[in-house]
Amino acid sequence: MSQSAHKFSLTTRIFIGMIAGIVIGVLLQLLFDDSGDFTFSVFGFQFSAYSIFVDGIFSTLGQIFIASLKMLVVPLVFVSLICGTSTLSDPSKLGRLGAKSVGLYIVTTAIAITLAMSMALLISPGEGLNLTTETSFEAKTAPSLGDVIVNMFPSNPINSMAQGNMLQIIVFAVLFGISMAMTGEAGKRVSAFFEDINTVIMRLVTIIMNLAPYGVFVLMAKLFSTIGGDTIFSLAKYFFLVFGVLIIHGLVTYSILLKLLSGLSPVVLLKKMRDAALFAFSTSSSSATLPVTMETARNKLGINNSVASFTLPLGATINMDGTAIMQGVATVFIAQVYGVDLSLGDYMMVVLTATLASIGTAGVPGVGLIMLAMVLQQVNLPVEGIALIIGVDRLLDMTRTAVNITGDCMVSCVVAKSEGGLDEDIYYNEHAGEKEEDVNFSEFDKNA
């Protein structure tokens, strides 16, 4: 790797990778297709140039990058949470952390869906459209809130880690950390062991972060070489409305809440969230982005590990502001497309259902569509309407994830400030975290 590569910050390198990936993806879609027009033969086997790049190189490298991020999630959450809770001298602090975090996540979700429906009613994205679809959507049954509470407690913690069940991992790690804090000398020895593991894991996060520009490049190239422009154009009004509300919520709502509840500068938070937001945008997964989010929170925002290790994994599991915005706009959109008039009571029901469902469906695969199906059923709208918006949901999902992880860090900052767990010197230090970020591969280069 040349020295010139280190002249750019990680944010710049990721952004360059993203733009390059989008350009290459669009060019591939324009120049090639998978119909076999551009093929060549090797040892009697026919190969398509399009397939080699899109289904071969980009798809494989993109999956490896995502898998590398997901590889870190369970050990990072488990070890960080144990390290954080084992240092709590006041057990009641954990209860306050939980109450404040869950309360703030619910409030931001309620604001998100209310804002989304208000904008959708104002702009009316579904009026005059006569959209049809040949695809269908089958709504899965969402678990009840009681089932979710029971399922938070693991009967087999090892199995919970193998399955990546985040709520069960959080509960077990918290109980394990509390027991360490109450065990005296033995607990201190175990705590030192976990602190060393945590240091090693964070170094691994740094290494993978430096590979991010290449991972983002192949993910963007794969996505934009397959997504159809005609789908976006037919749903342009819906697409840009959801996108606009996501941006407003991420930049305005979070800034107001952060300033009102903590007095901290929102501009600093948004600037320092750039790397994590770009990660989230390219991976479309709050869980996969969690290692980067935690690194940002601790090294750049100055949030104490005892707070960050609890609030951020919890937020990655239950904070679904971006999904709530999609649900709000999609509900109004589908109602207008099908010509159904919803009453004020119906809209209030949508807000309530979506807010509670953000916790009630935590950890369920396809959670966004499950939540939307629940909302539509509550106000007697056809669940089949979900099939109308599936075509553009992938792009919007990328933006939703970036908004979600920004909300996670905003809530974490507010909770940390209220509990005395925020280092404001680090928060307002423009260059905080840059050493970790740029340690990258200079030593490897010398030996290469």
Side-chain angles (χ1 to χ4, degrees):
M1 187 178 293
S2 65
Q3 290 296 322
S4 61
H6 304 304
K7 293 180 181 178
F8 300 106
S9 68
L10 179 62
T11 305
T12 304
R13 299 200 302 271
I14 292 175
F15 186 74
I16 291 172
M18 180 181 295
I19 297 300
I22 292 173
V23 171
I24 293 297
V26 172
L27 286 175
L28 281 172
Q29 189 168 184
L30 292 174
L31 294 175
F32 305 113
D33 57 40
D34 54 2
S35 63
D37 290 339
F38 293 87
T39 60
F40 56 92
S41 178
V42 178
F43 299 116
F45 294 97
Q46 293 292 323
F47 293 95
S48 163
Y50 177 91
S51 296
I52 287 177
F53 281 106
V54 176
D55 300 325
I57 297 173
F58 294 152
S59 180
T60 301
L61 293 179
Q63 289 179 53
I64 290 173
F65 177 62
I66 295 294
S68 299
L69 288 172
K70 289 183 175 179
M71 168 186 71
L72 296 173
V73 173
V74 170
L76 178 64
V77 170
F78 182 64
V79 173
S80 294
L81 204 43
I82 286 177
C83 292
T85 53
S86 65
T87 58
L88 290 177
S89 56
D90 181 10
S92 64
K93 182 178 179 180
L94 193 60
R96 293 199 305 272
L97 284 178
K100 290 177 181 178
S101 302
V102 173
L104 279 172
Y105 286 136
I106 291 176
V107 167
T108 59
T109 301
I111 292 173
I113 193 166
T114 303
L115 175 65
M117 286 197 303
S118 300
M119 293 294 289
L121 288 170
L122 184 65
I123 296 175
S124 301
E127 279 190 2
L129 287 180
N130 185 23
L131 297 177
T132 58
T133 178
E134 295 179 1
T135 59
S136 61
F137 178 82
E138 288 187 23
K140 298 178 183 178
T141 303
S144 66
L145 189 57
D147 288 338
V148 171
I149 294 174
V150 171
N151 291 332
M152 285 172 59
F153 295 87
S155 59
N156 185 341
I158 304 300
N159 187 52
S160 301
M161 294 180 195
Q163 294 179 348
N165 190 318
M166 205 54 64
L167 286 179
Q168 293 186 356
I169 294 170
I170 290 172
V171 169
F172 178 68
V174 166
L175 295 176
F176 195 87
I178 291 174
S179 66
M180 282 170 54
M182 299 172 64
T183 312
E185 289 301 317
K188 290 179 181 178
R189 291 194 296 271
V190 176
S191 179
F193 171 71
F194 275 102
E195 288 288 352
D196 288 341
I197 294 179
N198 191 49
T199 302
V200 174
I201 290 175
M202 291 311 297
R203 174 58 59 181
L204 186 55
V205 170
T206 302
I207 292 172
I208 291 180
M209 282 182 68
N210 280 279
L211 295 173
Y214 311 104
V216 169
F217 168 77
V218 294
L219 288 171
M220 292 296 100
K222 169 72 163 60
L223 175 63
F224 280 86
S225 63
T226 55
I227 193 165
D230 54 341
T231 305
I232 297 176
F233 290 134
S234 65
L235 294 170
K237 204 171 182 182
Y238 166 81
F239 177 88
F240 286 110
L241 177 57
V242 175
F243 183 80
V245 177
L246 285 168
I247 298 301
I248 292 171
H249 188 68
L251 297 181
V252 179
T253 304
Y254 290 152
S255 295
I256 293 173
L257 288 175
L258 181 68
K259 192 66 178 177
L260 287 177
L261 299 177
S262 69
L264 296 170
S265 169
V267 176
V268 173
L269 172 69
L270 295 174
K271 284 178 66 176
K272 293 193 173 187
M273 285 302 300
R274 289 176 302 186
D275 289 346
L278 287 172
F279 260 90
F281 185 82
S282 57
T283 62
S284 300
S285 170
S286 296
S287 295
T289 312
L290 189 56
V292 184
T293 311
M294 292 185 70
E295 192 272 344
T296 299
R298 296 196 288 199
N299 295 337
K300 295 184 179 181
L301 297 174
I303 300 173
N304 189 283
N305 183 56
S306 63
V307 177
S309 62
F310 180 81
T311 56
L312 293 177
L314 184 66
T317 308
I318 71 171
N319 179 33
M320 299 184 183
D321 289 3
T323 303
I325 287 170
M326 178 272 288
Q327 292 166 2
V329 176
T331 300
V332 176
F333 175 77
I334 291 171
Q336 290 173 349
V337 168
Y338 284 95
V340 178
D341 291 324
L342 298 178
S343 65
L344 179 62
D346 290 329
Y347 289 121
M348 294 299 293
M349 180 61 71
V350 170
V351 174
L352 180 63
T353 304
T355 303
L356 294 178
S358 67
I359 295 178
T361 55
V364 179
V367 64
L369 296 180
I370 289 175
M371 289 172 64
L372 181 54
M374 291 172 60
V375 170
L376 294 178
Q377 288 171 344
Q378 285 295 317
V379 291
N380 297 316
L381 285 174
V383 176
E384 293 77 12
I386 295 177
L388 295 173
I389 61 174
I390 287 178
V392 296
D393 195 62
R394 179 68 176 86
L395 273 177
L396 292 172
D397 190 29
M398 299 160 72
T399 312
R400 290 202 299 265
T401 308
V403 170
N404 285 344
I405 63 107
T406 303
D408 294 345
C409 282
M410 185 278 292
V411 168
S412 195
C413 284
V414 171
V415 174
K417 180 71 185 294
S418 69
E419 292 291 331
L422 182 78
D423 188 331
E424 292 195 45
D425 290 335
I426 295 178
Y427 184 88
Y428 286 106
N429 183 351
E430 235 181 278
H431 304 290
E434 284 187 3
K435 280 188 178 178
E436 283 295 317
E437 180 179 276
D438 294 327
V439 179
N440 49 59
F441 299 110
S442 57
E443 293 184 9
F444 293 93
D445 293 339
K446 294 175 184 176
N447 298 325

